Amino acid sequence: MHRNLKLYITKKTYVLAPEAGSNLTVHRDTGAIELSEIIPSASEQESTLNVYGILGFIKLWAGDYMLTITKREQIGTIQGKSIYRVGGFQILPLAQNLSDLNENQKSQEQVFVNLLESHLKNNTFYFSYDYDLTQSIQRLAQFTDEKLAEPLYKRADERFFWNRFVATKLIDAKFDASSFILPVMQGFVELNQCKINDKTFAWGLITRRSRHRPGTRYFSRGIDAQGHVSNFVETEQIVLYDGPSTSRDISGEIKLSFVQTRGSIPVYWAQVINLKYTPRLWIGETRKSLAAARAHFDEQIRIYGPQILVNLINKKGYELPMGQAYARTVEQLNDPRIYYTHFDFHSECSKMRWHRIQLLVDQLKDKLDEQGYTFYDTVGKNLKKTQTSVVRSNCMDCLDRTNVVQSTLARYVLTQQLHELGILKANQKLEDQEEFMQNYRNVWADNADGVSCVYSGTGALKTDFTRTGNRTKAGALKDLQNSITRYVKNNFLDGNRQDSFDLFLGKYHLEHDQSAYVHNPFVSGKPLRVRVVPYILLFALFMLVLNVIRPSYSGFKTFTSYFLLLLFWVSVLISGIRFAIKHGDEFVQWPHLVKLPPFDDVSEVSGGFTEKGNMSPPEITREELPSI
């Protein structure tokens, strides 16, 4: 795998020259790629650029764009193999100009490029040139020598190969381009060197976010026909240890890991945003939903073994029907390899009683002990222990409650691991190691934020408990701030964010969208009455504030006239807000590129009860929503 590339930019080509080996030449007029030994002469070069990897290529109206990594930040090593975070990127067009495009295409082209830039800037990506970040320690240890000899991209877990779509041009090349194909993972990675009882070891988290059924909080819910669920994340807690006498950097002669997963409730369901804080809830209860859940768990069991399902949503109110649907689905699957438990997180831990999470740990202790963890001796290539099952946790978003519980379960297992290594003495508790626990809590809280920002647009809630071990009033205020920010982003900004996912991950193909030739999908089709309401509200609010701050500005001499003026602007505000709430579907920002996923035989849920609705799944599309 080429680690450092020199990019030579000419009018006709992009030439990527590694420190050793053949160059990759990209012809700008045709988009063709080939290996060559030629470096452009100084007179041909327009500029040069240091490149640390190629994300891939994506085709827009003007032709291909090359996506390159221009900055990298090393965050740690595993067995001497460096792990990097993408620190900067550059999107390079092959086309010299846009003269061949019509005005409609030019307008779309800029929006597409902006979406790509937004996606790359607002997500966190990790990679390694020689360590497969997409695979857990246990899966890597079980690979054959033949498998390990394959190029990195071929043995990568395709679920977490985030740039798999844009790398297609290199993967499908008629020549061997494997040394230029760099699998990049979206998620979170942190590795820290720690010390307990004068014994040094490395500890950290690797969180892998699936590229299947990607998207934002309210535009990606539940399951699809292939069994992929929204916001599916695999989190691996790892321990690297070289022995008690180690005082240098840890190479990881002994590797231990513990894997957990999270993912949306695996039934057909949706929440349709409409300006209300709690959107409408729709649930599908059909045989197709059951078949999708079966496909999901068949894949999960094949990869991880038996499933320990921990459902953290409320057992009453708005979330009750989701819990009932999940439990009913598991019951109908009737699979002895699936264990289901429902722990009402908010009820059990209400009034700051966060210590009660231990009730869940106590309930799962036997399952966790039976499940075990990975213990791999790399020197002797001896896989001493394997993790035989996995805990799959979820709440509604699989963010806040889920991360708190995952960190608690991981701490229980880590205590066992450190006891086995002799780092912790028999009578010691991990919770008593204050310096380590501070690091532990902060990393898990950072992990929560990393997963949450991608899905919800803000950091996670309840991270004050994860960071300090206590729920605080300051943390509650921070959660309120994040909740308000989520509301704004989910209703008014997530349409574009969803488009960026669909474009980068190949859910939307420009060449397949014939309507885009004549109709710009990004041009709003909202009626005039909807488009003007926000401006009326802003103007009314401005005038109200202005007249309150400067009463003389109104020009009225009597208090009655002044009061009636204020009453007028208040009435305009109230009328505008009432109109917006009544027609909420028309004011939110919907994605433009891909239709909402279809649902079969869905029902609308109201007040904890399910009522049959007339909205069939194919009709839950953006074409029928008033905003498009």
Side-chain angles (χ1 to χ4, degrees):
M1 179 67 64
H2 296 313
R3 298 167 182 262
N4 299 289
L5 300 166
K6 194 75 171 181
L7 173 60
Y8 298 93
I9 301 174
T10 75
K11 289 184 177 180
K12 295 183 178 180
T13 62
Y14 289 133
V15 178
L16 290 142
E19 293 177 336
S22 299
N23 307 325
L24 179 69
T25 299
V26 183
H27 295 275
R28 300 182 65 174
D29 54 349
T30 63
I33 58 176
E34 64 178 359
L35 294 180
S36 70
E37 306 298 327
I38 301 173
I39 292 180
S41 63
S43 60
E44 294 179 296
Q45 297 173 19
E46 293 185 336
S47 61
T48 60
L49 190 66
N50 291 322
V51 171
Y52 301 106
I54 307 173
L55 288 170
F57 297 83
I58 190 165
K59 191 176 186 64
L60 302 178
W61 285 123
D64 282 345
Y65 287 74
M66 184 168 68
L67 314 178
T68 61
I69 299 171
T70 56
K71 291 182 181 179
R72 66 187 179 191
E73 303 166 11
Q74 183 172 338
I75 60 171
T77 61
I78 299 179
Q79 275 193 295
K81 299 172 181 178
S82 297
I83 312 299
Y84 297 95
R85 178 170 49 235
V86 176
F89 65 91
Q90 192 155 337
I91 302 174
L92 301 168
L94 270 61
Q96 297 286 330
N97 57 66
L98 305 180
S99 59
D100 294 334
L101 304 182
N102 59 41
E103 291 304 315
N104 179 38
Q105 291 173 324
K106 289 179 182 178
S107 175
Q108 292 183 50
E109 192 82 355
Q110 187 58 56
V111 177
F112 285 133
V113 173
N114 290 342
L115 289 174
L116 291 173
E117 288 182 342
S118 172
H119 186 80
L120 294 173
K121 284 180 180 177
N122 296 328
N123 293 283
T124 310
F125 303 98
Y126 299 86
F127 67 93
S128 174
Y129 299 107
D130 44 15
Y131 184 84
D132 190 351
L133 275 177
T134 68
Q135 301 282 5
S136 68
I137 288 174
Q138 181 164 308
R139 292 196 294 266
L140 286 172
Q142 292 172 330
F143 280 175
T144 63
D145 291 340
E146 183 180 359
K147 182 73 173 177
L148 290 172
E150 291 181 349
L152 193 60
Y153 83 92
K154 285 189 176 181
R155 65 177 189 264
D157 190 321
E158 58 87 25
R159 298 174 300 163
F160 309 124
F161 188 169
W162 196 262
N163 58 320
R164 175 63 178 78
F165 169 69
V166 294
T168 301
K169 189 183 190 76
L170 292 168
I171 293 172
D172 295 342
K174 295 181 180 180
F175 56 90
D176 182 10
S178 58
S179 56
F180 291 94
I181 303 173
L182 180 64
V184 173
M185 184 194 78
Q186 198 284 313
F188 175 83
V189 181
E190 186 157 344
L191 298 168
N192 292 313
Q193 189 160 301
C194 307
K195 182 177 285 189
I196 295 178
N197 294 328
D198 292 327
K199 294 184 173 87
T200 304
F201 63 99
W203 172 86
L205 296 179
I206 301 177
T207 287
R208 308 171 176 102
R209 182 174 165 85
S210 175
R211 66 185 180 91
H212 298 302
R213 197 163 176 75
T216 60
R217 187 184 183 200
Y218 287 128
F219 295 127
S220 184
R221 287 297 208 194
I223 198 168
D224 63 18
Q226 291 73 43
H228 303 309
V229 295
S230 299
N231 200 29
F232 181 82
V233 174
E234 173 189 284
T235 297
E236 180 180 23
Q237 177 177 262
I238 65 174
V239 176
L240 307 177
Y241 189 51
D242 291 340
S245 61
T246 302
S247 59
R248 51 182 170 77
D249 290 341
I250 305 298
S251 65
E253 294 178 2
I254 297 174
K255 297 180 184 177
L256 293 89
S257 88
F258 176 64
V259 171
Q260 298 182 77
T261 62
R262 67 176 81 183
S264 191
I265 294 176
V267 298
Y268 283 91
W269 65 287
Q271 286 177 286
V272 183
I273 54 175
N274 58 356
L275 292 187
K276 294 182 180 179
Y277 184 78
T278 304
R280 294 192 302 257
L281 177 63
W282 299 79
I283 301 177
E285 291 283 350
T286 66
R287 281 181 290 182
K288 183 177 178 182
S289 180
L290 185 63
R294 183 173 288 111
H296 173 69
F297 285 116
D298 283 347
E299 179 187 52
Q300 296 302 297
I301 292 170
R302 175 180 60 80
I303 296 172
Y304 302 104
Q307 302 285 295
I308 302 170
L309 310 183
V310 178
N311 187 7
L312 301 170
I313 66 173
N314 300 342
K315 290 184 178 180
K316 60 183 179 180
Y318 179 79
E319 297 181 0
L320 171 63
M322 288 305 306
Q324 293 173 330
Y326 194 5
R328 193 155 43 243
T329 298
V330 173
E331 182 181 3
Q332 290 173 342
L333 287 174
N334 192 28
D335 191 326
R337 301 168 297 177
I338 299 176
Y339 171 83
Y340 175 86
T341 185
H342 192 165
F343 182 81
D344 187 335
F345 186 97
H346 285 150
S347 175
E348 295 290 350
C349 302
S350 62
K351 299 179 181 178
M352 303 289 186
R353 299 176 300 168
W354 290 71
H355 62 280
R356 291 176 60 83
I357 297 174
Q358 187 62 37
L359 294 174
L360 177 61
V361 178
D362 293 339
Q363 180 184 340
L364 296 177
K365 270 184 180 179
D366 290 342
K367 293 289 183 182
L368 292 172
D369 293 340
E370 179 184 348
Q371 176 183 102
Y373 50 82
T374 302
F375 188 120
Y376 182 49
D377 181 353
T378 62
V379 177
K381 293 187 177 180
N382 181 15
L383 189 57
K384 293 184 176 182
K385 288 185 177 182
T386 59
Q387 183 177 333
T388 58
S389 62
V390 73
V391 177
R392 182 198 190 277
S393 306
N394 74 272
C395 46
M396 289 294 280
D397 300 322
C398 307
L399 299 176
D400 314 315
R401 289 170 276 184
T402 296
N403 197 79
V404 171
V405 167
Q406 283 195 338
S407 67
T408 305
L409 297 178
R411 188 176 70 237
Y412 173 80
V413 174
L414 181 59
T415 301
Q416 293 181 321
Q417 292 173 328
L418 296 184
H419 275 305
E420 179 166 3
L421 291 173
I423 294 174
L424 274 180
K425 297 176 183 177
N427 60 344
Q428 286 184 313
K429 295 181 179 179
L430 187 61
E431 291 82 356
D432 296 332
Q433 310 301 315
E434 293 184 6
E435 184 177 348
F436 175 80
M437 284 306 301
Q438 183 178 0
N439 175 41
Y440 179 90
R441 293 187 181 111
N442 283 328
V443 171
W444 268 102
D446 291 342
N447 175 70
D449 289 339
V451 175
S452 180
C453 285
V454 176
Y455 194 50
S456 71
T458 74
L461 309 183
K462 305 174 178 67
T463 53
D464 59 322
F465 176 79
T466 310
R467 292 188 191 277
T468 67
N470 296 295
R471 191 67 164 126
T472 64
K473 292 182 179 179
L477 289 174
K478 179 66 175 177
D479 287 355
L480 175 62
Q481 178 185 336
N482 278 340
S483 295
I484 294 171
T485 304
R486 281 185 184 181
Y487 171 81
V488 173
K489 287 188 173 183
N490 295 163
N491 281 276
F492 306 114
L493 301 174
D494 273 1
N496 287 340
R497 282 211 307 135
Q498 183 66 47
D499 285 336
S500 72
F501 279 102
D502 293 334
L503 181 63
F504 185 86
L505 295 175
K507 307 303 176 184
Y508 173 80
H509 296 266
L510 181 60
E511 62 268 27
H512 297 162
D513 187 1
Q514 299 300 320
S515 65
Y517 284 99
V518 294
H519 171 66
N520 188 335
F522 302 107
V523 174
S524 173
K526 295 179 181 180
L528 180 62
R529 62 172 186 166
V530 171
R531 297 200 302 271
V532 300
V533 166
Y535 298 101
I536 293 174
L537 285 172
L538 286 174
F539 182 71
L541 180 62
F542 171 76
M543 292 303 295
L544 178 63
V545 172
L546 179 63
N547 281 284
V548 168
I549 295 175
R550 297 184 61 186
S552 61
Y553 182 82
S554 66
F556 292 113
K557 304 296 184 182
T558 66
F559 175 78
T560 302
S561 300
Y562 172 69
F563 178 76
L564 289 174
L565 177 65
L566 294 182
L567 193 62
F568 169 75
W569 290 120
V570 169
S571 66
V572 172
L573 279 173
I574 293 175
S575 299
I577 292 171
R578 291 180 63 184
F579 179 85
I581 292 175
K582 183 178 180 179
H583 303 276
D585 291 347
E586 302 184 48
F587 286 88
V588 297
Q589 186 189 74
W590 298 94
H592 298 89
L593 299 182
V594 179
K595 291 182 179 181
L596 288 174
F599 294 89
D600 288 337
D601 191 24
V602 294
S603 303
E604 183 175 8
V605 178
S606 176
F609 298 94
T610 304
E611 300 175 355
K612 214 61 177 176
N614 296 321
M615 188 182 294
S616 62
E619 295 173 357
I620 308 181
T621 66
R622 298 180 190 114
E623 281 69 15
E624 280 72 32
L625 292 168
S627 57
I628 296 298

